[in-house]
């Protein structure tokens, strides 16, 4: 083979590989763009407190599904598809679909405490309070100890299931309560009170660096006396 | 990279917004086993702090009870072996107006009205079997076995429509609708004439008084609630205090 032939033999696969990579990058970029637009759109609905029409949801779903097909494996797209499905409170079967997406999201990005927290919320709403929810609670607590939104979910559902949890999960939930009491004691006490588990939060009243409303302190003291 | 961060931030916003969405009622007290069913989904166990929304059906088992507090402060307490559907519930906190329709299929319910009942009494209705109950007051007990219905009023007045007849029941009085007719009387007289299962349901509801008072005292609160604990107290007319969202996610 001539030198020219050898050059071609090396260059051609490189060009093909580069073209493939460019195509993949374009698809990934487009998927990212769709995910970005979709997340912004959904955030607008949430901020306004109004639910969009079915047509808008369908339009967003088809965009995201197309993005998923062209660039599979984007955890953001999976999470958004899950969030869209989970919004369909009128159709509980959509929770199963949401869970499929959330599970894919954690498989693609197992370090995201938000995806684990999404699984916690979806499983709880579905009434599936088994091993998956338990593992998701612990993972969310472990991966997002300082994330306010993750803290809220872990404390809310963790305290709801307090009596049914293994000791290890209870420790993880209580560690999150400790962290949340340092961040926002009033909010944490309020969640604990709503779940009928005020004593768990009251135990960490001393950890709270911020001033806690005296009414909460009195309530904690009265519960101790009981 | 910036775009990915933006998507993550937007997802985070979504997460926060979902947490803050209001729903309907929050379970403030519960004993025994209580289930909730949403549409055609399988029933799931209800726990303290859970939300109950429009379209949900709450079912209490034997030796079980539940107290729920709606976003507007409306209380609904169910005794054992009851089945109640939240047929309609909407509430607009800024205007303190909305609409409530609770359908008691079977069992006993004590209902104490909140902001909606105070501002728009005609927008609060209860159904029990074939009877319709409207309110002109704030506190009453409804019991049904699926056919017959008893209503006892503690505060204010209820209108009771049964078998095509409508009467107004003032505080301290009651009525029993059975065999196509309504028998009114004082609360005690009506109670004495009720079948044993009705009397037992009323006894069960009276046993929930402490839990109901606690729910009233808590004030509407949730993760986004603004009220400190302890407001408003029992029998405080709605409108002066409270009014935040009772739900969280």
């Amino acid at each position: 083979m001539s030198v020219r032939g050898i050059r071609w033999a090396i260059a051609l696969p490189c060009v093909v590989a580069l073209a493939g990579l460019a195509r993949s990058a374009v698809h990934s970029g487009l998927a990212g763009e769709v995910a970005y637009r979709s997340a912004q759109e959904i955030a607008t609905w949430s901020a306004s407190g109004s639910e969009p029409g079915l047509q808008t949801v369908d339009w967003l779903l088809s965009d995201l599904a197309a993005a998923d097909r062209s660039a599979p494996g984007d955890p953001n797209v999976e999470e958004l598809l899950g969030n869209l499905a989970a919004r369909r409170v009128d159709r509980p079967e959509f929770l199963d679909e949401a869970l499929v997406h959330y599970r894919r999201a954690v498989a693609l990005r197992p370090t995201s405490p938000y995806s684990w927290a999404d699984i916690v919320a979806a499983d709880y709403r579905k009434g599936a309070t088994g091993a998956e929810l338990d593992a998701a609670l612990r993972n969310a607590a472990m991966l997002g100890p300082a994330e306010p939104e993750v803290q809220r979910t872990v404390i809310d559902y963790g305290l709801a299931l307090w009596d049914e949890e293994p000791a290890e999960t209870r420790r993880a939930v209580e560690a999150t309560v400790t962290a949340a009491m340092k961040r926002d004691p009033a909010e944490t006490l309020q969640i604990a009170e709503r779940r009928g588990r005020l004593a768990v939060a009251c135990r960490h009243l001393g950890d709270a660096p911020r001033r806690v409303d005296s009414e909460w302190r009195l309530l904690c003291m009265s519960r101790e006396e009981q | 990279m910036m775009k990915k961060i933006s998507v993550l931030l937007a997802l985070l916003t979504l997460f926060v917004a979902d947490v803050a969405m209001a729903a309907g009622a929050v379970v403030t007290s519960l004993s025994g086993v209580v289930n909730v069913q949403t549409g055609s989904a399988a029933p799931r166990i209800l726990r303290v702090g859970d939300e109950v929304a429009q379209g949900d059906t709450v079912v209490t088992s034997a030796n079980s009870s539940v107290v729920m507090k709606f976003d507007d402060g409306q209380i609904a307490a169910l005794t054992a072996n009851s089945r109640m559907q939240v047929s309609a519930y909407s509430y607009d906190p800024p205007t303190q107006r909305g609409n409530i329709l609770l359908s008691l299929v079977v069992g006993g319910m004590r209902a104490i009205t909140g902001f909606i009942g105070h501002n728009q009494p005609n927008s609060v209705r209860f159904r029990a079997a074939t009877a319709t109950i409207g309110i002109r007051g704030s506190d009453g007990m409804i019991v049904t076995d699926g056919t017959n219905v008893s209503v006892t009023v503690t505060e204010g007045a209820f209108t009771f429509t049964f078998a095509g007849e409508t009467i107004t029941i003032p505080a301290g009085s009651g009525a029993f609708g059975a065999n196509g007719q309504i028998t009114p009387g004082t609360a005690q007289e009506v109670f004495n004439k009720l079948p044993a299962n009705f009397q037992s349901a009323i006894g069960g509801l009276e046993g929930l008084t402490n839990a109901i008072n606690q729910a009233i005292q808590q004030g509407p609160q949730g993760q986004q609630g603004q009220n400190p604990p302890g407001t408003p107290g029992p029998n405080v007319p709605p409108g002066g205090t409270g009014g935040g969202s009772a739900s969280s996610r």
Side-chain angles (χ1 to χ4, degrees), chain B residues 31-159:
Chain B
S31 70
V33 179
V34 182
N35 285 289
V36 62
Q37 189 169 12
T38 304
S40 55
R44 59 188 166 82
I45 292 175
L46 201 60
R47 295 176 180 83
V48 170
D50 277 357
E51 291 173 355
V52 176
Q54 174 172 292
D56 286 353
T57 301
V58 179
V59 183
T60 57
S61 311
N63 301 317
S64 303
S65 63
V66 63
V67 179
M68 291 165 282
K69 183 165 195 173
F70 287 79
D71 288 357
D72 72 306
Q74 164 87 38
I75 304 278
L78 296 177
T79 188
N81 302 311
S82 298
R83 186 180 188 88
M84 191 268 299
Q85 189 189 36
V86 182
S87 301
Y89 186 80
S90 65
Y91 177 58
D92 179 38
T95 60
Q96 294 181 348
R97 296 174 83 83
N99 178 46
I100 305 174
L101 174 56
L102 303 180
S103 303
L104 183 67
V105 181
V106 71
M109 173 172 76
R110 182 170 168 197
I112 301 169
T113 55
F115 288 127
I116 301 173
H118 179 71
N119 297 331
Q120 308 160 265
N122 290 338
S123 297
V124 179
R125 285 163 301 145
F126 308 114
R127 263 193 214 133
T130 56
T132 306
I133 296 114
I135 61 139
R136 290 183 198 166
S138 59
D139 189 353
M141 284 188 271
I142 303 162
V143 180
T144 180
D145 58 5
T147 310
N148 306 320
V149 181
S150 81
V151 177
T152 315
V153 181
T154 312
E155 261 185 59
F158 279 24
T159 59

Side-chain angles (χ1 to χ4, degrees), chain B residues 191-213:
Chain B
F191 179 82
N192 292 341
K193 289 178 192 165
L194 288 174
N197 55 333
F198 278 64
Q199 290 182 342
S200 162
I202 289 173
L205 287 170
E206 281 168 351
L208 295 175
T209 303
N210 282 343
I212 290 169
N213 283 342

